[in-house]
Amino acid sequence: TPVSGPSLTVTKSITPVPVTENDLVTYTFAIANYGNAEATADYDATLTDTFDPVLTGVSVQYNGGAWVEGTNFNYDETTGQFATVAGQITVPAATYTQDPATGIWSVTPGISTLVVTGTI
């Protein structure tokens, strides 16, 4: 029996590399959905991370739009703990394509992107 629902994975990257003290750095979280259903706000997906070293002057964008602290995410500049508010992350469903010649299926995940920028 096929299972219906989202199936999320997260890939994290940082720029620039190498990082030096007092640098402005950007963490990019690519959130991929390999499932056959969209991860909607009702799915209550959250993303958490602890930035070490701690970032200051944090700004956050989700799929190119600015996010507001306390509404979309929470960040503690003392501990470096970052968390999105439940229901703020949505990710489109994957698409599935079958090669008519070989019968092999391929999956293209739905992607959403969370970008956190701050100074180390």
Side-chain angles (χ1 to χ4, degrees), residues 1 11 19 23 26 33 47-48 52 59 64 67 69 83 95 106-107 110 113:
T1 304
T11 304
V19 175
D23 263 356
T26 300
N33 183 1
L47 186 140
T48 61
D52 183 17
S59 66
W67 266 14
E69 186 167 6
T95 56
S106 63
V107 179
T113 306

Side-chain angles (χ1 to χ4, degrees), residues 12-32:
K12 175 182 167 184
S13 62
I14 186 172
T15 56
V17 175
V19 175
T20 58
E21 189 173 357
N22 297 319
D23 263 356
L24 183 66
V25 297
T26 300
Y27 286 97
T28 301
F29 297 88
I31 307 161

